[in-house]
Amino acid sequence: MVRHDTSPIASPVRHEAYSFTCLDCGRSWEQEYDVRRYVDGQGVSRVRCTNADGKVIRSPLTHPCCPSCESTVLRTLPAGTSTSMLQALFGPPRRRQRGALKRLFH
């Protein structure tokens, strides 16, 4: 009888951070999380993300949603770039018209 190893094979934990900008309301924020990629006992590749508290979360890159207006029309950028991008385009923070960023990028 041949036995197959069914124990998960995991990669080292990687810390990742991204900036998000909502193209509807203009809100910008960053999200940091730890990512572990692994192959489960059935040979399927999986990803496990945890937040700063160690709670398992969905990847922020999968179906991100604006915490202010719940829009899913977002731009994902390298960490530290969303605020500087908005300031370069529009100057200091101020109330923006809903959808102004969407019109700019589409």
Side-chain angles (χ1 to χ4, degrees):
M1 179 171 166
V2 177
R3 293 198 57 185
H4 297 286
D5 184 8
T6 58
S7 61
I9 301 169
S11 67
V13 173
R14 288 184 36 188
H15 184 76
E16 295 183 7
Y18 291 93
S19 290
F20 298 90
T21 299
C22 177
L23 298 183
D24 277 332
C25 74
R27 178 170 180 180
S28 295
W29 71 97
E30 289 200 6
Q31 191 165 356
E32 298 181 21
Y33 55 101
D34 292 323
V35 177
R36 178 174 297 251
R37 290 172 172 75
Y38 64 97
V39 177
D40 70 11
Q42 280 71 44
V44 177
S45 294
R46 305 243 183 226
V47 176
R48 180 179 174 157
C49 299
T50 54
N51 63 13
D53 299 329
K55 180 181 174 187
V56 176
I57 60 171
R58 279 189 356 186
S59 168
L61 301 177
T62 306
H63 308 294
C65 181
C66 177
S68 293
C69 71
E70 298 183 2
S71 172
T72 57
V73 183
L74 308 174
R75 285 286 186 237
T76 305
L77 305 162
T81 58
S82 64
T83 301
S84 59
M85 179 197 76
L86 285 175
Q87 288 182 0
L89 292 171
F90 299 106
R94 64 181 190 283
R95 183 151 177 86
R96 296 180 181 91
Q97 282 186 325
R98 185 169 178 83
L101 292 175
K102 189 186 325 182
R103 288 189 299 277
L104 179 69
F105 287 106
H106 290 282

